[in-house]
Amino acid sequence: MASLAGSFAFAAQAQEAPENTQASEDDGIEIISITGSRRTIQDQIAIKREATTVVDGLSAEDIGDLPALSIGEALESITGAASHRENGGATEITIRGLGPFLSATHINGREATNGSGDRSVNFSQFPSELVKKIAIYKTQDASMIEGGVAGVIALETVQPLDYGKQRIQGEVKANYNPDESNVENSLQSDIGFRGTFSYVDQFEFDNGQAVGVSFGVQRQDINQPESEYRSSSPSGSSLWACLNDPTNTNEGFYRGEADDCEDRITGGSNQGYDTEIDPDTGKATSDGVPYAWTGSTRSYRQNETSDERDAIFFAMQYQPSDTWDINFDVQVSDRIQAEARHDIKFLQKRATPGVTGPTLVTNDVGSILHWEGEERIESAGEQFSREENYIGYGLNIEHQATDNLSLNFDVSYSQTKREELQISNRGRTVNRPFFSWDMGDEIPHFTTQDFDVTDITNFTDSLRSRIDRENSREHEVIGARIDFTYLLDSGMFTSIQGGFRASELTFLQFGGSNGNGSRTEYALDDNVDPDVVLGVLESCQIDFPESGFLSSVSDGDIITNVDSDGNVIDSGTGSSWATYDNTCFSQEVAGIVGEEWVYPEVEYENAGTKDVTEKTTAAYLMANYDTEMFGKFIRGNVGVRIVDTDVNSIGFRNTFEVVTDDLGVLDVVPGDSLDKIEGGGDYTEILPSFNLVVDYSEDILIRGGIFRGMSRVEPGNLSYSRTFQTDDDAAPTTIEELFVGVNGSGNPNTQPLMSWNYDAAIEWYPNDDSIFSLGFYYKQFQGGFQQQTVLEEFVIDGNSYQLPITNSVTTDEESDIYGIESSIAYRWDSGIGVKFGYNYADTDYEFEDSNYGDTFVTDIDGNSSQLTEGIVEPGAVPGFSEHVFSGQVYYQIGDFDTAVIYKYRSEYFQPYTSNGTRLRYVDAVGVWEMRASYRINSHVRVKFEAINLFSEPKSQDFYTEDNLGEVNSYGPRLFAGVSFKL
């Protein structure tokens, strides 16, 4: 590195950079404006160099100039940042390889909400064209809103008066996805559209007042093709570790009677590998017994997709005098995603005696590579839509009270609403045809025997349709803060800052007949005329919508139909199957059973409702310093922030009445209504911080930072659901004897995850186009998540009782994260430039799977005991990747500007939204992107952008790495358009 840096230093000194020559128009010298990729990288370097904290960011000369198609893609180009991909695009962002739940996101200095039930933000909700600046603060100071252990992502929209010029801009882009050209999409055309318009202006008045306005609007209407291989997920009870023991004919793959492999012929069901500790051996009950992972189904999914988004950003800045500055801004985003899904499902848990066990082939972790047997096959489908509405606005007033004292007052509001509607259909085979499958290079391939999957008449059994309204959520944050800055006239310290902030977060998820939503089900029983059943399928049948399905990840035909001699039958061989219109199917089935076809309603007063209110007050004091010491200029800040949080959660449970019989024995009689129940918790934390920047020389900085950070648990996990346990075998005569414990979920008293964070870096800035930085960081976490039995207080018949409940709590365990982070940027006279960012991290943090990991319970006295001995290794911090890399090579000469980008992220554990206690690994992936533009004149530019150039799929493993669970193939996404500015 020293040799490389020395050669670059020599080249940098030898460079001539006429573009950077500063001159004025009055001198008669032409001013060369630096734009495009070079200007973007220069701004990134300047943001990092000028900051007091450890920060990396992007800014745009004009609205709409951020070099990315979404905020997620823009953030990925920042050193240490990586994304989780959904629908082919970047969504949640991790910082330094740490999961999004350890980060915080602020828009114009205010908290942002989302619709996922956690604290991460779906960045695909916000158009990059309407954002002026993005930054990632990797160390914090006391003035920043708490909540980001890994870092704080800050988005800024334009302040029109500070912008200082009139600007009218517009852009129109066409979207074309090569994979979509093979799809007959009923929801969207092959060519998508993305149009953006923005306007910024200022108005000055004779009395010295000034007003500025900015306005931006975007309409997006595109498709997002996705083809999938899927296995049952571990989030519920559909994926089992079934015993693979030839000596055991009572259960597993070698069972003597055909049935599900997790069930026993005698002695119970739903077991599989038993991880419960055997008290006689101290080991798992099934310790040493071989096993293999199998889910309820293995399937392929073809998608027709649509993605519509309307976004509006508005800001007004008013300066009535030179001592007052008033800013109002608002952001609105409405997004509707829709999919028509068509599945072929091969049921998989059934073991065929004499066939499945002896022919089963697995790898070292128990993942199946070859399977044979007789089981049902389904033609299934789903019609899915998600609507998400975001609105955020705020008012900021800044007043220069005296020459030394400035005051800042800010109020804000952020709300996200989300709701999902889904139709789920199925038709299955009457009998159980024989089939097998083998794992290919990336996905399995199936072989059927004398069974044509393209024949709709083969799926006439057990027709069923379910209509769901679920995940109906509202997430709000209301905040207000007042800050002051007082300038000091002399000495080491230049100013003192302080302030107070109060906020209220509310999270509401409506319940229904199906837990987190409501479901209506229509099913045809055996009494329905077979001709009527067949009529449903034939009247709703459609041609398979896609040619070349999964061709980028398959080894050929995904399904091969053979006769009893092994000869290939053309009909049923290929990469398609019998499909139908989902809405038509569902309405036809509902009509036959005589039910009204309508989406069910959710309700507030329901046992599945989650209603969480989190109130936070915080105060801080911080001193900024800028002085000379030991011949070096130093600057930075030192401060402390105190945070107090109070949580209140509301739930509902069925009413009951305690009755006494003639013998004085108590019993519980359920009621027919609901009781409102409440639980809560609180905590107070002190968060000191210190930041230091040493100007070692004119072009070398030494930087350091220390802060104590906190990350709160997800709002959805702060819910409160409780029901009483009774001892049915006893004859209780008192309330204490009747109620022996409590079942429930959610813990509003969950404490935050705390950490001490240490950063140190050295940065060399040879010129405006170059940076060579190397940083080290260390984070010591205090806290993990474990099941613990605690006493909670309940009021029964007017009296208070303490009852035990086992729930998830934050432990006092300590774990460490170490990391190295490096940024390099350089540009040659030829117009070629490079920028590289790399982050390496290591941790001893362990996240145990709740089903097949080591689990423990702590009793009321604090004694911990092991409940299960798992068969899967623990995950790390959710979202943790050991390696994150982003590289960019750009070429800019004259009016032509192009860049090729590569982004890599190593494998990581991604929790499920529905059940964050189960392990799911996203495999390592590297994605190539490209952009190019040509400026026709000072007003018009043509652009081309491409994402996922080489069609890299997303691959996921369930429970353990190398146990393939899902593969998503997206294909490239191409955008071309023209922009103008006046």
Side-chain angles (χ1 to χ4, degrees):
M1 288 186 64
S3 175
L4 181 65
S7 65
F8 279 164
F10 178 81
Q13 294 171 359
Q15 272 190 357
E16 294 182 5
E19 296 92 337
N20 291 330
T21 301
Q22 300 297 315
S24 68
E25 294 179 357
D26 295 336
D27 296 330
I29 301 175
E30 180 183 3
I31 298 176
I32 305 298
S33 176
I34 301 174
T35 61
S37 297
R38 184 183 181 192
R39 173 62 179 269
T40 299
I41 291 177
Q42 283 189 356
D43 287 346
Q44 290 186 60
I45 294 171
I47 289 171
K48 189 174 186 68
R49 183 170 189 173
E50 295 166 7
T52 303
T53 56
V54 178
V55 61
D56 289 278
L58 283 170
S59 67
E61 179 186 11
D62 289 318
I63 299 176
D65 282 355
L66 279 183
L69 289 167
S70 74
I71 296 298
E73 269 97 24
L75 285 165
E76 280 185 307
S77 66
I78 295 175
T79 299
S83 78
H84 178 70
R85 291 193 298 161
E86 294 289 351
N87 299 113
T91 54
E92 298 175 349
I93 295 296
T94 66
I95 302 172
R96 289 175 162 175
L98 304 181
F101 89 106
L102 293 173
S103 305
T105 299
H106 302 157
I107 299 179
N108 292 332
R110 305 159 185 143
E111 287 183 278
T113 55
N114 76 12
S116 299
D118 54 26
R119 299 180 192 268
S120 60
V121 169
N122 184 352
F123 289 99
S124 59
Q125 189 78 2
F126 304 106
S128 60
E129 291 89 343
L130 300 180
V131 174
K132 182 73 168 57
K133 178 183 177 181
I134 59 176
I136 297 178
Y137 293 88
K138 299 169 184 177
T139 62
Q140 299 170 34
D141 61 44
S143 68
M144 300 176 67
I145 300 174
E146 68 284 344
V149 168
V152 174
I153 300 171
L155 312 182
E156 295 181 16
T157 58
V158 69
Q159 292 182 298
L161 285 179
D162 297 344
Y163 189 69
K165 58 186 176 182
Q166 183 190 71
R167 178 69 79 200
I168 299 174
Q169 293 179 221
E171 183 172 86
V172 177
K173 292 178 182 175
N175 164 230
Y176 174 73
N177 304 320
D179 281 17
E180 185 66 24
S181 64
N182 300 325
V183 178
E184 291 293 328
N185 193 340
S186 62
L187 304 176
Q188 179 59 256
S189 62
D190 288 349
I191 304 297
F193 164 82
R194 183 169 175 150
T196 310
F197 174 83
S198 63
Y199 168 71
V200 185
D201 210 345
Q202 304 82 30
F203 306 93
E204 297 182 0
F205 304 98
D206 294 338
N207 59 5
Q209 299 185 24
V211 174
V213 295
S214 68
F215 172 77
V217 60
Q218 183 181 88
R219 168 69 174 172
Q220 174 178 279
D221 193 352
I222 64 174
N223 54 61
Q224 306 217 66
E226 181 177 17
S227 302
E228 306 174 59
Y229 157 74
R230 305 167 62 86
S231 175
S232 301
S233 79
S235 60
S237 57
S238 298
L239 181 58
W240 300 89
C242 286
L243 300 187
N244 190 25
D245 180 6
T247 66
N248 188 344
T249 58
N250 187 50
E251 61 182 311
F253 293 102
Y254 285 88
R255 55 178 292 144
E257 297 178 7
D259 211 336
D260 291 347
C261 63
E262 80 276 14
D263 294 339
R264 296 166 178 165
I265 299 175
T266 59
S269 61
N270 289 342
Q271 181 57 68
Y273 186 99
D274 191 350
T275 60
E276 186 175 349
I277 297 293
D278 183 342
D280 294 333
T281 64
K283 294 286 188 178
T285 301
S286 298
D287 181 60
V289 180
Y291 59 87
W293 301 102
T294 188
S296 298
T297 63
R298 295 182 189 268
S299 62
Y300 301 111
R301 169 169 290 177
Q302 189 279 331
N303 290 287
E304 305 167 56
T305 66
S306 173
D307 188 347
E308 299 178 3
R309 183 184 64 200
D310 296 298
I312 299 174
F313 283 25
F314 172 80
M316 175 178 288
Q317 187 175 8
Y318 173 50
Q319 294 177 349
S321 69
D322 58 0
T323 61
W324 289 90
D325 190 359
I326 302 172
N327 284 273
F328 173 76
D329 61 89
V330 59
Q331 307 86 37
V332 179
S333 176
D334 294 334
R335 187 181 186 193
I336 299 177
Q337 295 172 273
E339 294 184 14
R341 303 163 174 170
H342 308 286
D343 298 354
I344 183 75
K345 293 185 176 182
F346 297 86
L347 277 61
Q348 283 285 283
K349 295 191 299 177
R350 184 180 175 87
T352 303
V355 176
T356 305
T359 60
L360 199 71
V361 179
T362 67
N363 63 11
D364 293 340
V365 299
S367 181
I368 298 175
L369 305 179
H370 175 84
W371 182 96
E372 295 181 16
E374 297 175 344
E375 185 52 293
R376 298 185 190 273
I377 304 173
E378 294 182 356
S379 174
E382 294 179 359
Q383 200 77 11
F384 171 84
S385 69
R386 172 190 291 163
E387 182 172 1
E388 187 160 332
N389 311 111
Y390 174 87
I391 181 170
Y393 55 82
L395 175 67
N396 182 275
I397 301 173
E398 186 174 352
H399 176 52
Q400 191 70 39
T402 68
D403 289 344
N404 288 13
L405 177 64
S406 64
L407 303 173
N408 189 291
F409 175 70
D410 188 275
V411 292
S412 61
Y413 176 79
S414 175
Q415 181 197 67
T416 299
K417 292 184 178 182
R418 173 187 285 187
E419 185 171 71
E420 296 175 355
L421 302 176
Q422 182 165 300
I423 303 169
S424 303
N425 304 315
R426 71 138 193 240
R428 58 171 42 167
T429 57
V430 176
N431 300 314
R432 292 184 170 89
F434 179 88
F435 63 88
S436 64
W437 63 266
D438 292 273
M439 183 62 67
D441 288 340
E442 296 187 69
I443 63 171
H445 296 74
F446 284 75
T447 300
T448 60
Q449 184 172 309
D450 290 314
F451 185 85
D452 185 354
V453 295
T454 66
D455 186 353
I456 197 75
T457 65
N458 283 330
F459 302 99
T460 57
D461 189 53
S462 304
L463 267 64
R464 185 189 67 193
S465 181
R466 291 172 172 170
I467 305 178
D468 294 291
R469 185 189 300 268
E470 56 189 3
N471 296 326
S472 182
R473 303 177 178 135
E474 297 178 4
H475 185 191
E476 292 183 345
V477 174
I478 302 172
R481 62 183 296 171
I482 184 167
D483 301 83
F484 74 86
T485 301
Y486 187 80
L487 301 179
L488 302 176
D489 295 328
S490 61
M492 173 180 176
F493 292 97
T494 59
S495 64
I496 297 176
Q497 292 178 244
F500 175 84
R501 179 178 183 270
S503 68
E504 181 177 286
L505 176 151
T506 58
F507 173 77
L508 175 60
Q509 179 170 298
F510 293 92
S513 60
N514 195 43
N516 66 333
S518 290
R519 168 173 291 174
T520 301
E521 181 171 311
Y522 315 109
L524 302 185
D525 57 33
D526 295 338
N527 296 324
V528 177
D529 188 332
D531 290 337
V532 174
V533 175
L534 184 59
V536 172
L537 294 169
E538 292 181 336
S539 63
C540 297
Q541 184 176 10
I542 62 173
D543 293 333
F544 189 76
E546 183 172 355
S547 60
F549 174 76
L550 280 179
S551 58
S552 63
V553 294
S554 65
D555 302 335
D557 294 329
I558 62 172
I559 302 171
T560 302
N561 188 19
V562 300
D563 60 22
S564 57
D565 296 324
N567 301 311
V568 175
I569 304 172
D570 291 338
S571 181
T573 295
S575 298
S576 64
W577 57 90
T579 53
Y580 44 79
D581 181 277
N582 293 312
T583 304
C584 171
F585 181 102
S586 182
Q587 292 176 342
E588 288 287 319
V589 173
I592 293 172
V593 299
E595 297 286 344
E596 180 184 8
W597 191 90
V598 62
Y599 283 103
E601 295 296 327
V602 292
E603 53 193 6
Y604 176 70
E605 293 189 6
N606 186 279
T609 291
K610 298 179 179 181
D611 187 350
V612 178
T613 300
E614 179 185 83
K615 295 181 179 181
T616 300
T617 55
Y620 78 95
L621 192 65
M622 184 174 73
N624 299 295
Y625 60 88
D626 192 341
T627 187
E628 185 176 359
M629 187 177 296
F630 305 113
K632 307 295 181 183
F633 290 101
I634 65 171
R635 54 189 168 90
N637 55 63
V638 58
V640 63
R641 188 176 187 90
I642 301 175
V643 182
D644 181 78
T645 300
D646 184 84
V647 177
N648 182 70
S649 293
I650 296 174
F652 295 91
R653 67 162 174 249
N654 290 325
T655 57
F656 63 90
E657 182 182 358
V658 178
V659 296
T660 307
D661 65 15
D662 295 338
L663 299 176
V665 176
L666 302 183
D667 195 8
V668 175
V669 177
D672 56 1
S673 60
L674 293 173
D675 272 341
K676 179 180 177 180
I677 57 176
E678 295 188 52
D682 59 79
Y683 50 86
T684 300
E685 299 292 348
I686 299 175
L687 310 176
S689 61
F690 171 75
N691 290 282
L692 169 70
V693 179
V694 179
D695 291 319
Y696 184 79
S697 65
E698 290 185 0
D699 54 4
I700 295 179
L701 296 182
I702 298 175
R703 192 185 301 273
I706 303 173
F707 72 96
R708 188 171 187 246
M710 61 181 287
S711 285
R712 297 182 173 95
V713 70
E714 298 173 354
N717 292 335
L718 296 173
S719 60
Y720 189 69
S721 174
R722 300 290 186 268
T723 57
F724 293 119
Q725 290 178 316
T726 58
D727 188 350
D728 297 333
D729 297 328
T733 58
T734 65
I735 292 292
E736 290 87 345
E737 293 174 345
L738 175 64
F739 295 110
V740 296
V742 179
N743 290 322
S745 62
N747 183 5
N749 196 35
T750 306
Q751 301 296 294
L753 188 97
M754 306 301 300
S755 71
W756 278 100
N757 307 267
Y758 306 88
D759 276 78
I762 183 169
E763 301 162 3
W764 177 35
Y765 300 90
N767 53 50
D768 291 342
D769 293 295
S770 304
I771 180 176
F772 300 89
S773 73
L774 182 63
F776 304 88
Y777 60 89
Y778 167 61
K779 297 178 182 289
Q780 183 182 65
F781 286 93
Q782 182 175 351
F785 300 104
Q786 180 180 312
Q787 295 295 107
Q788 182 173 328
T789 301
V790 297
L791 290 176
E792 288 188 0
E793 187 170 322
F794 299 91
V795 177
I796 305 172
D797 286 346
N799 297 314
S800 294
Y801 299 89
Q802 287 192 326
L803 297 173
I805 178 173
T806 302
N807 213 337
S808 177
V809 300
T810 306
T811 70
D812 294 329
E813 294 180 3
E814 292 186 351
S815 55
D816 303 307
I817 292 180
Y818 303 85
I820 301 173
E821 189 174 68
S822 179
S823 295
I824 297 174
Y826 188 77
R827 180 181 180 273
W828 288 268
D829 290 339
S830 61
I832 296 177
V834 296
K835 179 183 178 296
F836 303 111
Y838 172 69
N839 183 85
Y840 168 79
D842 190 19
T843 182
D844 59 0
Y845 186 96
E846 293 187 347
F847 190 108
E848 293 284 356
D849 182 84
S850 63
N851 206 17
Y852 284 107
D854 293 340
T855 61
F856 300 82
V857 65
T858 302
D859 63 22
I860 297 173
D861 298 324
N863 301 312
S864 182
S865 58
Q866 187 171 354
L867 296 177
T868 64
E869 183 182 56
I871 53 176
V872 299
E873 294 293 326
V877 179
F880 177 85
S881 290
E882 188 174 12
H883 304 279
V884 174
F885 172 81
S886 64
Q888 174 179 338
V889 178
Y890 70 92
Y891 175 71
Q892 184 177 357
I893 195 74
D895 296 320
F896 180 69
D897 184 7
T898 187
V900 177
I901 304 104
Y902 177 72
K903 303 171 183 178
Y904 173 81
R905 181 181 184 183
S906 60
E907 63 276 359
Y908 58 97
F909 152 47
Q910 177 77 5
Y912 287 91
T913 302
S914 57
N915 187 345
T917 68
R918 305 286 171 83
L919 294 181
R920 167 181 59 163
Y921 293 94
V922 181
D923 294 337
V925 66
V927 177
W928 290 88
E929 297 178 4
M930 176 186 173
R931 63 175 182 267
S933 68
Y934 180 75
R935 186 174 63 179
I936 297 175
N937 54 46
S938 59
H939 301 295
V940 180
R941 181 188 298 268
V942 293
K943 297 181 177 181
F944 173 80
E945 294 157 296
I947 295 177
N948 197 18
L949 269 173
F950 301 110
S951 190
E952 286 295 327
K954 182 179 76 174
S955 180
Q956 302 177 68
D957 300 326
F958 294 162
Y959 280 132
T960 183
E961 295 180 59
D962 294 328
N963 179 36
L964 183 66
E966 186 171 330
V967 176
N968 310 90
S969 177
Y970 307 113
R973 301 168 61 197
L974 310 177
F975 289 82
V978 58
S979 65
F980 72 88
K981 63 178 64 177
L982 301 174

